[in-house]
Amino acid sequence: MSPHSKTMNRWIPISRDELEELVSAQLTECSPEHAQQFARLRVPFRTASVMRDGVIESVFIVAQLEEMAIYYEDIEDGFNVSEVAPDGSIAPLASSSGPSPMRFNVF
C-alpha cells in the first residue's frame, strides 16, 4: 500500500512532491515519444475538484490540451483523462474503466 493511501485507516492524500516523484518514475517507463508528448502537454500541477459519489474531492491535473486533462486519482491510485469544466473542475465521467498508467495517446 502506498504512503499516500490508507495508513492505519486514515486517508493521507498524495502530496505534490510525491506526485512529482511518481510522474518522474513513470516517465522513465514510457517510450521516448510519450515522454516528449507529456513534456509538451505538462502543466504545473494544480488541484481541481471532481464529484465522486456525490462528494466533492480533489485531484491533481498534470497535463492538459485545450479542455482535456490528464489528472491523478490518488483514491484509485492512477491517472485518468477527462474534460475540464469551465469552472476548472473535472467534468463528470460518463463511465470509467478505472485509472491507468500514464495515457498520452488520448490527445
Side-chain angles (χ1 to χ4, degrees):
M1 189 171 284
S2 58
H4 57 268
S5 58
K6 293 182 181 179
T7 304
M8 307 282 280
N9 295 326
R10 188 172 144 247
W11 177 255
I12 301 172
I14 193 168
S15 70
R16 188 177 311 268
D17 289 341
E18 289 170 323
L19 183 56
E20 288 282 358
E21 290 176 19
L22 177 65
V23 168
S24 292
Q26 287 201 5
L27 283 171
T28 65
E29 299 173 11
C30 288
S31 70
E33 295 81 18
H34 283 164
Q36 290 170 357
Q37 186 176 14
F38 180 73
R40 288 191 303 272
L41 301 173
R42 184 179 180 142
V43 295
F45 295 171
R46 69 180 185 277
T47 57
S49 59
V50 63
M51 181 72 72
R52 183 193 319 273
D53 298 326
V55 177
I56 296 175
E57 297 175 355
S58 183
V59 297
F60 278 104
I61 293 177
V62 299
Q64 188 167 347
L65 178 63
E66 298 174 8
E67 290 85 30
M68 295 302 293
I70 297 174
Y71 61 97
Y72 183 72
E73 287 260 5
D74 66 345
I75 290 175
E76 295 183 16
D77 199 24
F79 295 88
N80 277 320
V81 177
S82 188
E83 188 173 349
V84 177
D87 67 359
S89 66
I90 298 297
L93 296 173
S95 65
S96 174
S97 59
S100 64
M102 292 270 187
R103 293 171 34 181
F104 300 108
N105 58 351
V106 295
F107 295 124

